[in-house]
């Protein structure tokens, strides 16, 4: 296997993460006070998954990711980048220590978000064009 899946993971992660930063800010500042945390995450999730699908479709095509193992490596690498970025944001913005951040993933909104991130990781496999 080449480094191509790892190279493809970076723009895939960056595109979806950029949208996630914008939507996450809107969710926390505007949506959570109106509908609650779980509902806010549930409303954001379909938009993020649609964006993940579109980004994965485009990037797997651009990088020639067609084989399932390459798509899984791309998704796994992007997933690790998401988790590291979220940990860094939690630590940097709210001084949340890593253990507290990990525990937050077991709450209903955290688990819902983590499930969405797992689907984000699988999206390159699901969206790739075989050929």
């Amino acid at each position: 296997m080449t480094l191509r899946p790892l190279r493809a993971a970076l723009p895939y992660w960056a595109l979806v993460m950029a949208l996630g930063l914008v939507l996450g800010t809107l969710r926390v500042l505007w949506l959570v006070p109106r509908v609650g945390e779980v509902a806010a995450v549930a409303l954001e999730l379909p938009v993020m998954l649609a964006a993940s699908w579109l980004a994965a479709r485009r990037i797997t095509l651009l990088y020639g990711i067609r084989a399932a193992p390459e798509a899984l490596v791309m998704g796994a690498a992007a997933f690790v980048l998401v988790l590291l970025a979220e940990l860094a944001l939690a630590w940097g913005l709210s001084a949340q220590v890593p253990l507290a951040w990990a525990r937050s993933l077991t709450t209903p909104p955290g688990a819902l978000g983590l499930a969405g991130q797992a689907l984000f990781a699988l999206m390159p496999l699901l969206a790739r064009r075989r050929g």
Side-chain angles (χ1 to χ4, degrees):
M1 188 177 309
T2 67
L3 291 177
R4 189 175 50 207
L6 296 176
R7 288 187 183 123
L10 190 58
Y12 174 55
W13 164 79
L15 284 170
V16 178
M17 188 70 186
L19 177 63
L21 287 171
V22 171
L23 290 180
T25 300
L26 292 174
R27 174 178 41 85
V28 169
L29 296 178
W30 185 78
L31 203 52
V32 169
R34 287 166 177 74
V35 299
E37 203 169 354
V38 173
V41 172
L43 289 168
E44 179 187 17
L45 195 54
V47 177
M48 290 301 298
L49 291 175
S52 297
W53 169 269
L54 293 171
R57 190 80 169 160
R58 179 75 177 138
I59 291 168
T60 56
L61 181 64
L62 275 172
Y63 284 81
I65 305 292
R66 289 184 184 82
E70 287 184 320
L72 288 170
V73 167
M74 177 185 158
F79 179 71
V80 168
L81 290 172
V82 163
L83 292 179
L84 290 173
E86 291 217 350
L87 174 59
L89 285 170
W91 203 354
L93 294 178
S94 62
Q96 192 175 35
V97 295
L99 184 57
W101 170 78
R103 282 189 188 131
S104 75
L105 297 176
T106 65
T107 66
L112 188 56
L114 186 59
Q117 292 164 345
L119 289 172
F120 160 80
L122 290 173
M123 211 58 77
L125 177 67
L126 301 173
R128 71 194 159 94
R129 292 188 176 114
R130 298 161 193 92

